[in-house]
Amino acid sequence: MKRTLLILLLCVLNFSFAQIRFEKGYLINHKKERSNILIKNQDWAYNPTEFTYKTSEEGALQIATINDVQEFGVTNFSKYVRYTGLIDDSTDNLQRLTDTKDPIWVRKTVFLKELSAGERNLYMYNDEKILKFFYADANTPIEPLVYKRYFPEGNTANVFSNNDYKTQLNKYFDGENVERKIDRLSYKQESLTNFFKNYKGFDNSIENEELNRSKVNLYVKPGIAFSSAELLIPANKDLNTQFESKISPRVGVEVEYVFPFNKNKLAVFVEPTFQTYNQTGKNNGGADAEIKYSTVEVALGLRYYMFLNATSKFYIDGSINALNLMVGDNYIKYKVAGLSVENSVELNGRPNFGFSVGYTYHNKWVIQAKTYNRKKIVTGTNYIDAGYSNVTFAVGYNFL
């Protein structure tokens, strides 16, 4: 069973690599020459400094850097323009705020992502440290919109904000009767983008991307588990027991958070799952043995999606069962051949790892196969070892 699941996992992995494709786009070089190309669209979480492209389907891979390109875009998805100028290098990390409201200006050359285009344009720069927005129109070159949080006079008990971006926008939109809307704006991508796109001068013909949005999913996943266990006592191998595989029910509830970048291909999840395994057997000495094991496992994991089309996608994920909550009595009981005395070992559980492949339809229905590595279920002793292994299959439904 595990070998079959491993083969399936390898096939899906192979598909994921084959899925990487190039999409129609363009670039404008430093001579202002435009070329239609095929771009490897990585839906960058942070503004790129280079990108991979081909001039045709059969063409060789090429790398374009910020030194070579003034502008590039993926058709109907995203657009980046080169900007050389001042960027506020102030972080928004509470642990590293300064004690002054003034921006920390640094001159850089970067690609800015265009969020909204028309009579007035909005751009964004995002790296691992800072998130900043920029404005431009026909009469105004690209300028940074100023926002900075700081500790006034070094007082870390209070956090003040320099909201000069609102003053700037009131100047740029003077006469448009949007003062109240600007006053309610927050210095966030969605808030600013919606404001610009609701402006009457927004040009829908050049809108290049529907915002990738984060998403929370809530799945209920009932299914079955193929479980087995073993008892190992090195000092007396006659007591070793292999409990045969048995089908038993399992049910899980999964909360998934899908990240708002990389085309929503990455997600994290937490899934509490109830599983139970009751089985009898004979040890190597021919005496009776019994196991009773019921637990709620709480898995934390990372998932990667591979889209087939607009309604279907595969995924692979890895997780750790970080928490094991025992339900009821959990034990292995065994006898020694020729004796009537019954010995009992209390069971618990250590963390173990799981690997899944799955298929999602319309972001509502999901089928999933999952395998786990051996879990040690006896702790606190060196003379007894017991392990639990299982493969599960589940069908789920998303209620959000």
Side-chain angles (χ1 to χ4, degrees):
M1 182 66 70
K2 285 194 173 184
R3 181 175 298 177
T4 301
L5 190 55
L6 178 60
I7 293 173
L8 179 60
L9 177 60
L10 292 174
C11 290
V12 173
L13 284 171
N14 181 65
F15 172 81
S16 70
F17 289 114
Q19 192 195 34
I20 298 174
R21 65 182 186 274
F22 288 74
E23 301 180 26
K24 290 182 180 180
Y26 72 94
L27 67 78
I28 299 175
N29 64 22
H30 62 283
K31 296 180 181 179
K32 298 186 178 181
E33 299 170 334
R34 180 184 173 112
S35 301
N36 293 324
I37 57 175
L38 298 171
I39 297 177
K40 183 179 180 180
N41 183 7
Q42 297 179 275
D43 189 17
W44 298 270
Y46 303 113
N47 291 43
T49 57
E50 62 181 29
F51 60 93
T52 303
Y53 73 97
K54 300 189 294 185
T55 56
S56 66
E57 289 287 357
E58 297 76 25
L61 297 181
Q62 301 183 57
I63 304 294
T65 71
I66 199 168
N67 297 321
D68 309 318
V69 176
Q70 284 194 347
E71 180 181 311
F72 77 94
V74 179
T75 303
N76 297 322
F77 191 81
S78 62
K79 174 182 173 181
Y80 291 86
V81 300
R82 187 172 68 184
Y83 164 76
T84 298
L86 297 178
I87 294 180
D88 179 13
D89 203 41
S90 305
T91 179
D92 202 44
N93 185 334
L94 278 175
Q95 305 301 318
R96 299 173 58 191
L97 297 184
T98 67
D99 57 3
T100 174
K101 66 179 292 186
D102 298 326
I104 302 174
W105 295 117
V106 177
R107 188 173 182 83
K108 294 182 178 181
T109 297
V110 299
F111 280 129
L112 298 181
K113 184 176 184 179
E114 185 179 84
L115 299 180
S116 179
E119 294 180 12
R120 294 178 170 90
N121 298 338
L122 176 68
Y123 301 95
M124 178 180 73
Y125 177 71
N126 185 18
D127 64 17
E128 295 185 31
K129 177 184 173 185
I130 61 174
L131 173 64
K132 303 296 177 181
F133 298 95
F134 298 76
Y135 171 88
D137 59 37
N139 301 313
T140 307
I142 295 176
E143 292 184 355
L145 295 172
V146 176
Y147 169 78
K148 180 183 177 181
R149 293 199 301 170
Y150 62 97
F151 294 128
E153 299 180 351
N155 181 3
T156 58
N158 294 309
V159 178
F160 281 23
S161 295
N162 175 352
N163 294 316
D164 280 354
Y165 72 97
K166 294 184 178 181
T167 303
Q168 293 172 275
L169 291 176
N170 275 313
K171 181 184 72 172
Y172 299 144
F173 286 84
D174 184 40
E176 301 292 340
N177 195 30
V178 292
E179 292 84 359
R180 294 182 64 182
K181 292 182 179 179
I182 290 174
D183 188 59
R184 293 194 296 267
L185 282 178
S186 59
Y187 198 79
K188 295 180 179 179
Q189 179 179 349
E190 185 172 1
S191 178
L192 289 169
T193 302
N194 286 339
F195 171 74
F196 273 75
K197 289 187 175 182
N198 287 327
Y199 169 65
K200 65 182 180 182
F202 171 63
D203 185 356
N204 287 294
S205 67
I206 55 175
E207 182 179 11
N208 51 57
E209 177 185 1
E210 180 181 351
L211 276 175
N212 277 342
R213 301 181 185 274
S214 60
K215 181 173 174 57
V216 176
N217 297 314
L218 175 63
Y219 288 97
V220 174
K221 292 183 174 180
I224 58 174
F226 294 82
S227 306
S228 61
E230 61 181 353
L231 173 67
L232 302 175
I233 303 178
N236 188 346
K237 293 185 179 180
D238 284 345
L239 300 179
N240 290 353
T241 307
Q242 294 291 331
F243 293 99
E244 293 185 355
S245 179
K246 182 179 180 180
I247 299 176
S248 54
R250 57 90 72 191
V251 62
V253 177
E254 177 187 286
V255 178
E256 177 191 51
Y257 175 79
V258 182
F259 289 105
F261 53 80
N262 195 31
K263 291 189 172 183
N264 299 123
K265 291 181 178 180
L266 289 176
V268 292
F269 64 90
V270 56
E271 182 183 11
T273 302
F274 172 75
Q275 298 185 68
T276 184
Y277 175 67
N278 300 316
Q279 183 63 290
T280 59
K282 298 283 188 181
N283 59 31
N284 290 348
D288 293 334
E290 177 189 5
I291 181 173
K292 184 176 181 181
Y293 185 70
S294 297
T295 180
V296 175
E297 301 172 337
V298 181
L300 305 175
L302 178 67
R303 177 169 293 148
Y304 180 77
Y305 282 102
M306 295 152 283
F307 291 86
L308 298 175
N309 51 48
T311 59
S312 299
K313 54 189 175 181
F314 282 122
Y315 66 79
I316 56 175
D317 66 47
S319 61
I320 179 172
N321 285 327
L323 184 63
N324 291 274
L325 306 174
M326 311 311 294
V327 179
D329 295 327
N330 291 269
Y331 56 79
I332 292 179
K333 294 181 179 180
Y334 63 94
K335 293 182 179 180
V336 178
L339 299 178
S340 60
V341 177
E342 186 175 63
N343 300 280
S344 181
V345 179
E346 184 178 352
L347 304 181
N348 43 48
R350 287 186 177 178
N352 67 325
F353 297 94
F355 304 92
S356 302
V357 294
Y359 168 77
T360 300
Y361 182 67
H362 273 295
N363 205 43
K364 283 295 183 182
W365 293 97
V366 61
I367 56 174
Q368 173 184 285
K370 187 169 188 175
T371 182
Y372 302 81
N373 71 320
R374 180 182 185 271
K375 180 198 293 187
K376 188 176 177 67
I377 55 176
V378 171
T379 59
T381 177
N382 294 322
Y383 71 92
I384 293 179
D385 179 30
Y388 173 75
S389 302
N390 64 338
V391 174
T392 67
F393 298 90
V395 176
Y397 182 78
N398 181 15
F399 284 88
L400 296 182

